[in-house]
Amino acid sequence: MLEHLTTETRNEKTMNLDEMSIFDFLTTMNEEDEKVASAIKKELPSIAQAVEAIIEAKKQGGRLIYIGAGTSGRIGLLDAVECPPTFGTSPDEVVGLIAGGEKAFIKAVEGAEDSKELGMEDLQNIRLTKADIVVGIAASGRTPYVIGALEYANSIEAQTVAVSCNKGSDIGKVANIAIEVINGPEVLTGSTRLKAGTAQKLVCNMLSTASMVGIGKVYGNLMVDVQLTNEKLVERAKRIVMEATSCTYDTAEEYLAKANCNSKLAIVMILTGLSYEESLHRLEQTQGFIRQAIVN
């Protein structure tokens, strides 16, 4: 069955991989990697549909939940853990689940991906609701753990998305929305941490970033909900306020202090001249969209 999967077939350009010079191999690998973005471009309509579903789920108070095994699970986890510092989300708003649990992030848990029941149980353990949206990730598109999770999500009427690298994938058939990025065979046969992993990471980047833009976490192209957890991010926040308002460094620093280190609030205060309380009310009225808050 594996021989019919694009991700498992042999790449004719690297049949003599063990005889190639380092430079020739790297050149070939780079040429193969270039195909990933083009393959994703063909799936933009499905990715856009998934982003719209995520935004709708978030507006209803639902969570974005990534679930996968091995490399796919790690990519979902990576995207999930980056959302709180980048977009100011709480840790339970974007969740990453991997077959075998968190310990599987650094060491493979053999057999965990082969259990449909485990996928279902992991979603039950986080109390999945119909307001949530589940994104199942599997390069092959046939991982039982992911299939079980998507089937369970469907059974309680939660929205489901599948991200794979094979056309007509099993997970794509289960999910409401199928994103199937066809990159062609890997340079190292079956090593789906390569092009498939890159494709999955790029798709997750799109899903989380575009959906966060859609719920007001961004002003222009500035990440105005960045969390000020270290000195570098404090300085970044000052620059964000300066860029958004054309104010001086000292003014940005002053208003960030007045806004309790809330970049978004500082920006509204500067652009509207309103007090802390009035600016906060504006943001609450506009669901956190700065552009709407400053013209309301």
Side-chain angles (χ1 to χ4, degrees):
M1 188 171 180
L2 287 177
E3 65 270 16
H4 301 302
L5 301 177
T6 301
T7 51
E8 298 295 331
T9 55
R10 297 183 70 183
N11 192 316
E12 293 183 0
K13 294 181 179 180
T14 57
M15 297 295 278
N16 63 333
L17 175 60
D18 56 341
E19 298 177 318
M20 295 171 71
S21 71
I22 292 174
F23 187 80
D24 285 347
F25 170 59
L26 294 178
T27 299
T28 302
M29 190 171 184
N30 180 242
E31 290 172 350
E32 288 296 299
D33 286 342
E34 288 177 346
K35 297 177 180 179
V36 176
S38 296
I40 289 175
K41 186 175 183 178
K42 296 176 182 177
E43 288 299 298
L44 288 179
S46 295
I47 296 171
Q49 188 180 356
V51 169
E52 291 169 357
I54 294 169
I55 292 172
E56 184 59 30
K58 296 296 294 175
K59 287 180 177 178
Q60 302 302 318
R63 297 168 292 177
L64 167 58
I65 299 164
Y66 293 115
I67 189 163
T71 297
S72 299
R74 295 182 186 100
I75 288 169
L77 270 169
L78 180 62
D79 201 67
V81 300
E82 291 289 353
C83 285
T86 306
F87 300 111
T89 58
S90 65
D92 61 353
E93 283 186 67
V94 183
V95 179
L97 298 175
I98 184 171
E102 291 183 1
K103 62 182 180 294
F105 189 85
I106 57 175
K107 184 177 181 180
V109 176
E110 301 301 332
E113 69 177 67
D114 297 328
S115 171
K116 291 176 68 174
E117 291 73 20
L118 185 58
M120 176 185 70
E121 289 171 6
D122 282 353
L123 290 181
Q124 289 176 330
N125 288 339
I126 63 166
R127 295 178 174 83
L128 184 75
T129 74
K130 63 186 299 183
D132 299 323
I133 180 166
V134 177
V135 178
I137 312 172
S140 67
R142 61 190 294 273
T143 306
Y145 173 79
V146 179
I147 293 173
L150 292 172
E151 288 178 342
Y152 173 70
N154 285 340
S155 74
I156 66 165
E157 300 181 352
Q159 180 65 278
T160 52
V161 178
V163 180
S164 72
C165 293
N166 282 295
K167 188 61 69 176
S169 66
D170 291 346
I171 64 172
K173 293 173 184 175
V174 174
N176 300 135
I177 302 169
I179 300 169
E180 297 176 330
V181 183
I182 313 305
N183 306 293
E186 302 286 2
V187 292
L188 182 62
T189 306
S191 183
T192 52
R193 69 185 180 86
L194 302 178
K195 285 191 297 184
T198 300
Q200 291 170 334
K201 180 65 171 71
L202 291 176
V203 170
C204 287
N205 286 349
M206 289 179 165
L207 294 178
S208 58
T209 306
S211 60
M212 292 299 163
V213 173
I215 61 171
K217 295 290 187 179
V218 173
Y219 178 54
N221 61 355
L222 301 172
M223 47 183 180
V224 290
D225 268 330
V226 63
Q227 297 298 287
L228 314 189
T229 54
N230 58 46
E231 290 184 10
K232 179 191 74 174
L233 295 177
V234 170
E235 289 303 309
R236 177 177 291 168
K238 293 174 186 176
R239 293 198 304 272
I240 287 171
V241 174
M242 291 168 65
E243 290 284 347
T245 65
S246 299
C247 73
T248 65
Y249 180 91
D250 289 343
T251 299
E253 188 172 47
E254 175 190 350
Y255 273 84
L256 270 173
K258 289 181 178 180
N260 294 326
C261 296
N262 185 319
S263 305
K264 185 181 283 186
L265 192 55
I267 291 168
V268 174
M269 290 172 68
I270 294 171
L271 292 179
T272 63
L274 297 173
S275 68
Y276 175 94
E277 291 78 12
E278 291 170 319
S279 297
L280 184 60
H281 182 61
R282 282 280 187 94
L283 283 170
E284 289 173 349
Q285 282 185 316
T286 59
Q287 289 77 50
F289 284 85
I290 290 179
R291 200 171 297 279
Q292 295 175 20
I294 61 177
V295 297
N296 190 2

